[in-house]
Amino acid sequence: MSVISKIASSHSFSDKALLEVLSDDKYDQELFSSADEIRRSVYGTDVYIRGLIEFTNYCKNDCLYCGIRRSNSDCDRYRLTKEDIYGCCEEGYSLGFRTFVLQGGEDMSFKDDDICEIVYNIKSRYPDCAVTLSIGERSRESYSAFKSAGADRYLLRHETANAEHYSKLHPQSMSLENRKNCLFTLKELGYQVGSGFMVGSPFQTLENLVEDFKFLQTLGPDMIGIGPFISHKNTPFKDFPNGSLELTLRLVALLRLVFPKALIPATTALGTLHPNGRELGLKCGANVVMPNLSPVRFREKYELYDNKICTGEESAQCRDCLDRRVKSVGYKIVTDRGDARTIK
């Protein structure tokens, strides 16, 4: 039995096997084929769409890789109004979106009551939809309040499971321990939880990636989002090379083998790195895409990294384009909340 077959059949791995597959392209064809076979056995050819609403680019944090970090004085800051957000949802619903992802920097001007009001109103207007929050580290009390207001899911990438590596990417005010605690708290509160990591971030080793897989096994997330590191011109990491497309695709495929029921996006960062990056991600086991529903006039301002794609397209244009792209590689976008198969 090949190393790929062993991982695929057991949904587990040894450190040696994972490092071997990550470091050698001779496994790629079998790896990608096996990942696609598994995703088809669990999810068929369905691809779920998430309507991304980037509602604020203010952030209290100063992460060294991020374009909206607090210290970037060149960032043109904005906040959407509540009515702006509801307008994005109205348009998105008409286009077939049944999940709305409210994503922003850690902008504490949005108090718990504000987030709760927004979530409650979206769920009241669109009860057949899921609401996902991606607004960083908050207290248990905050997470509990958001859940009571109707939030279904929460995305919080751990970024790296190695504490020393984490400290090289983040300011001293942040800790991997707190990030992990937030994720386990979200699980305890009953959220569908998403985590993930950057690929090719500065100072990352292949051994770090093995640690990421081990942490995800412990966490048991419903969603796993990974994407290549892409530098931003106004950060301390501006001169570091971007992450590798090839390594990212290998990791997407390995995630599908190890976590067969997970929701795994083909990220915008993949599409930024390569013209067909998202299609390649789908062929390697991904089954989610997250087009942008934010008002066009704000999209360029939510610049986590340089050269981000789809900043000038209207939502309907973006949806039509994705339909064609997804269909071109043998899958289909469906109008569905798109819960993970582990969710009953």
Side-chain angles (χ1 to χ4, degrees), residues 42-159:
V42 178
Y43 289 101
T45 58
D46 291 353
V47 172
Y48 303 121
I49 51 173
R50 313 314 199 189
L52 185 62
I53 303 170
E54 297 163 334
F55 69 99
T56 174
N57 69 348
Y58 283 85
C59 190
K60 68 182 180 66
N61 292 328
D62 219 13
C63 303
L64 279 72
Y65 50 83
C66 184
I68 64 170
R69 66 196 304 262
R70 187 184 68 240
S71 292
N72 182 7
S73 59
D74 289 332
C75 183
D76 187 3
R77 305 289 177 175
Y78 73 91
R79 295 183 177 103
L80 298 188
T81 67
K82 292 173 184 176
E83 290 308 316
D84 285 333
I85 294 170
Y86 303 146
C88 293
C89 293
E90 183 178 3
E91 181 179 21
Y93 192 85
S94 70
L95 292 170
F97 290 88
R98 295 298 180 266
T99 290
F100 301 116
V101 181
L102 301 179
Q103 183 177 80
E106 294 196 21
D107 181 356
M108 305 315 291
S109 73
F110 282 91
K111 307 299 184 187
D112 287 1
D113 287 348
D114 296 314
I115 300 297
C116 288
E117 179 185 344
I118 292 167
V119 170
Y120 178 82
N121 284 335
I122 293 173
K123 291 290 288 190
S124 297
R125 297 179 190 191
Y126 310 104
D128 56 332
C129 292
V131 172
T132 302
L133 296 176
S134 181
I135 54 176
E137 298 177 5
R138 301 254 180 159
S139 69
R140 183 185 187 93
E141 291 72 27
S142 297
Y143 290 149
S144 181
F146 304 156
K147 189 76 174 62
S148 296
D152 302 280
R153 305 173 183 147
Y154 205 102
L155 304 180
L156 183 65
R157 285 186 177 184
H158 67 275
E159 301 299 4

Side-chain angles (χ1 to χ4, degrees), residues 231-248:
S231 64
H232 189 284
K233 59 185 177 297
N234 294 322
T235 70
F237 290 162
K238 63 181 179 181
D239 295 323
F240 280 81
N242 291 337
S244 158
L245 173 71
E246 291 75 17
L247 182 57
T248 305

Side-chain angles (χ1 to χ4, degrees), residues 31 129 195 301:
L31 172 62
C129 292
S195 193
K301 299 178 182 181

Side-chain angles (χ1 to χ4, degrees), residues 296-324:
V296 172
R297 66 186 185 278
F298 295 117
R299 292 187 191 180
E300 289 186 351
K301 299 178 182 181
Y302 199 85
E303 190 181 58
L304 305 182
Y305 48 81
D306 287 339
N307 304 311
K308 183 180 172 186
I309 60 170
C310 296
T311 56
E313 293 181 338
E314 296 288 350
S315 299
Q317 289 177 315
C318 193
R319 170 65 203 267
D320 290 343
C321 174
L322 273 176
D323 277 338
R324 292 192 299 271

